[in-house]
Amino acid sequence: MSRDLPLDINIKEPQWDQSTFVGRAKHFFTVTDPRNVLLSSAALEDARRIIVNYRAGIVSPGLTEDELWRAKYIYDSAFHPDTGEKMFLIGRMSAQVPMNMTITGCMLTFYRTTPAVVFWQWVNQSFNAIVNYTNRSGDAPITVNQLGAAYVSATTGAVVTALGLKSLTKHLPAIIGRFVPFAAVAAANCINIPFMRQRELKYGIPVTDEDGKRLGESAKAAQQAIAQVVVSRIGMAVPAMAIPPVIMNALEKSAFLKRFPVFNAPIQVGLVGFCLVFATPLCCALFPQKSSMKVSSLEPELQALIQENSPHTHTVYFNKGL
């Protein structure tokens, strides 16, 4: 008979060492695995039950350590780390590759006409708004007005940037025009993410000590978290929006695509997908998910509160979001 699984496995933390880039990359390759999108509600609920029970000291009979870690990553891929709520399907990180490869591929394919630019930038920012809301840090609600302001601001910024750059590249080589969508996406990320998470900037996000004890809320921590997410998101877009245009610019001169232009979009989407499979987890891994900050860098009032309630704490930790 196999003995019961011990209860001292720390499933609050990832399986791999998060102080190293390699460890974070292994973690995010698992979190962003597109196959998790295909899991049924029953499979997600089963994983949730295993994790909730294990945290309560209950081990399912015959459960192995590998099965426990598999359940943890299924749980993490579908349930918000702060609220515990099941996340909207297309907002999950496991949906990033299939959704982004389709949208980005189409943005790179249909960039020549103004209606196409407006439509695909709108689709992209609608998707980004869902992702940013779904993966926000903290457990505080966000109002409909805040959501609407973030959505309108980011969409407007992306469209204006795309159309402005498009007009500037009319007399430049065609290859330059192919990079307009990337510039628009980068600009929109700088608008969309802070706006979508503006409540965090105003009221702060939860910060804890090393053992997970909540010490308060910090807007300074929110600023660091959001800046890291913006850098990661722009980094994700670089390979997917910079490499395929160069390849497609060469392929479109070939006899095959001249004869069968219908294959333009599928090839472009496939190239983007290949880039995103690697870029998404690697750029998520640029910064630790459980980010940290010195107490001395926090707001004076929060510093005083921590000194009073937890005088031996010199570093606080927080979920930076994705």
Side-chain angles (χ1 to χ4, degrees):
M1 290 181 62
S2 61
R3 59 190 181 88
D4 287 339
L5 197 64
L7 290 170
D8 59 354
I9 300 172
N10 186 11
I11 58 171
K12 290 182 180 179
E13 302 295 334
Q15 186 175 4
W16 298 279
D17 182 5
Q18 296 300 284
S19 66
T20 68
F21 176 76
V22 172
R24 295 196 296 271
K26 288 180 179 179
H27 168 70
F28 281 110
F29 266 108
T30 307
V31 170
T32 62
D33 187 343
R35 293 173 296 181
N36 287 340
V37 174
L38 304 176
L39 293 172
S40 65
S41 295
L44 296 178
E45 184 56 33
D46 188 50
R48 190 195 69 80
R49 178 183 54 79
I50 290 173
I51 296 304
V52 170
N53 284 348
Y54 187 83
R55 288 173 176 170
I58 303 169
V59 180
S60 303
L63 183 71
T64 67
E65 185 171 347
D66 285 343
E67 289 171 341
L68 177 64
W69 282 114
R70 174 61 181 155
K72 171 195 163 48
Y73 276 102
I74 290 175
Y75 177 85
D76 287 351
S77 75
F79 296 88
H80 193 277
D82 292 324
T83 65
E85 297 175 355
K86 184 185 287 188
M87 295 184 285
F88 188 51
L89 180 63
I90 66 172
R92 300 173 193 169
M93 291 309 293
S94 52
Q96 282 286 292
V97 172
M99 290 298 298
N100 265 327
M101 68 182 284
T102 303
I103 296 171
T104 304
C106 289
M107 278 197 296
L108 294 175
T109 302
F110 309 110
Y111 68 94
R112 290 184 174 90
T113 66
T114 297
V117 169
V118 172
F119 176 76
W120 285 109
Q121 289 294 337
W122 168 73
V123 170
N124 187 52
Q125 290 314 310
S126 298
F127 171 64
N128 281 344
I130 293 171
V131 173
N132 294 335
Y133 173 73
T134 303
N135 294 281
R136 68 198 183 282
S137 175
D139 50 13
I142 184 169
T143 67
V144 174
N145 287 340
Q146 290 170 331
L147 280 173
Y151 174 67
V152 171
S153 300
T155 304
T156 303
V159 170
V160 169
T161 302
L163 294 180
L165 291 174
K166 183 176 180 295
S167 65
L168 293 175
T169 58
K170 283 181 179 179
H171 305 294
L172 296 175
I175 184 66
I176 303 298
R178 289 181 177 273
F179 289 96
V180 168
F182 168 68
V185 167
N189 272 324
C190 294
I191 300 170
N192 195 324
I193 296 171
F195 263 93
M196 190 59 65
R197 296 174 61 173
Q198 60 185 290
R199 195 184 192 286
E200 299 172 34
L201 293 170
K202 185 175 182 179
Y203 298 106
I205 57 176
V207 294
T208 69
D209 61 16
E210 194 171 7
D211 297 322
K213 179 185 175 183
R214 190 160 174 165
L215 301 172
E217 289 75 38
S218 170
K220 291 282 186 70
Q223 292 170 13
Q224 178 176 304
I226 291 170
Q228 290 176 345
V229 171
V230 169
V231 171
S232 294
R233 291 288 187 84
I234 292 175
M236 281 182 210
V238 171
M241 303 192 80
I243 297 174
V246 175
I247 296 174
M248 291 306 298
N249 198 57
L251 288 179
E252 285 185 358
K253 297 173 184 176
S254 67
F256 177 77
L257 279 186
K258 285 181 179 178
R259 186 176 179 183
F260 302 105
V262 69
F263 288 107
N264 190 312
I267 292 174
Q268 187 119 244
V269 169
L271 287 171
V272 170
F274 179 78
C275 292
L276 285 172
V277 165
F278 297 97
T280 300
L282 291 177
C283 288
C284 282
L286 289 175
F287 306 100
Q289 181 65 35
K290 185 180 178 181
S291 198
S292 62
M293 201 172 192
K294 294 292 184 183
V295 171
S296 58
S297 299
L298 299 172
E299 297 87 334
E301 59 273 20
L302 182 56
Q303 289 185 43
L305 182 64
I306 293 173
Q307 285 297 324
E308 180 183 346
N309 297 327
S310 185
H312 300 297
T313 299
H314 302 291
T315 302
V316 295
Y317 300 88
F318 51 92
N319 169 30
K320 71 175 176 64
L322 286 172

